Amino acid sequence: MKSKNQLLIIASLVVLFTVSVGFSTMTQGKWVAPASADKLENPLKGDEAATSKGKKIYKQMCAICHGMKGKGDGMAGSALKPKPANFTKAEIQEDSDGAIFWKITEGRGNMVSYKETLSETQRWQLVNFIRTFK
Ligand code: HEC
């Protein structure tokens, strides 16, 4: 009898787990980069020429969703769920440079991966520019 009850408990835990995982992918909560991303060094940190190159790329490729001022209010972003990130928010700026780089590289949902379209250098230039919204 005891083992039957245990089995029941395990079975309900499995169901609960599956439901909560399903739910979290559906609602797409806070996007967290893996810890390994925090270890990536920004080779362009403090490089102002790189930051202005990042600005150019941002205007061409990112502002349409993230907005000219980084507030996540770009024209093409308004209908998206979740909304494009607002780079002026502390919770975004708290990310390490490596984590931001990783997110640009990997993408998620409507935020596509820029691994193929932008070089590593260009992605770091963007990280530098995103910091200016702080
Ligand atoms: C088609 C609209 C769109 C474009 C274009 C776009 N993004 Fe995004 N971006 C999003 C959306 C939507 C999210 C939120 C994704 C999520 O949380 O699942 C996001 C999230 C992000 C994040 C993660 C913020 C965080 O910590 O949660 C970064 C960084 C980012 N975008 C950078 C960029 C950069 C740099 C570019 C240009 C190369 C760019 N994005 C272009 C829609 C876009």
Side-chain angles (χ1 to χ4, degrees):
M1 220 32 206
K2 197 175 173 210
S3 67
K4 217 177 181 182
N5 278 342
Q6 277 174 341
L7 218 73
L8 211 75
I9 291 174
I10 292 171
S12 24
L13 282 179
V14 168
V15 169
L16 246 169
F17 180 72
T18 317
V19 168
S20 64
V21 167
F23 192 68
S24 67
T25 23
M26 236 166 58
T27 55
Q28 301 257 302
K30 187 171 160 50
W31 186 9
V32 185
S36 58
D38 292 334
K39 298 203 180 80
L40 301 169
E41 284 286 338
N42 181 350
L44 304 174
K45 202 169 181 75
D47 181 336
E48 285 178 24
T51 307
S52 55
K53 284 189 184 139
K55 182 178 184 174
K56 272 208 189 113
I57 305 169
Y58 181 89
K59 282 188 170 165
Q60 287 167 3
M61 301 179 72
C62 320
I64 180 109
C65 284
H66 289 281
M68 287 306 268
K69 300 211 159 116
K71 291 193 171 160
D73 58 355
M75 223 168 49
S78 56
L80 300 180
K81 274 195 178 116
K83 288 228 176 311
N86 176 345
F87 297 128
T88 65
K89 275 199 170 165
E91 62 179 84
I92 306 288
Q93 292 292 342
E94 274 162 12
D95 262 353
S96 64
D97 281 7
I100 296 176
F101 177 86
W102 184 89
K103 287 175 184 176
I104 300 170
T105 305
E106 299 300 324
R108 177 171 97 162
N110 287 311
M111 168 67 197
V112 301
S113 158
Y114 287 92
K115 200 187 292 185
E116 310 291 335
T117 29
L118 294 171
S119 70
E120 275 197 27
T121 305
Q122 288 175 313
R123 280 175 264 145
W124 284 118
Q125 289 165 347
L126 282 162
V127 171
N128 274 14
F129 180 65
I130 286 172
R131 287 298 184 208
T132 66
F133 294 125
K134 212 177 195 159

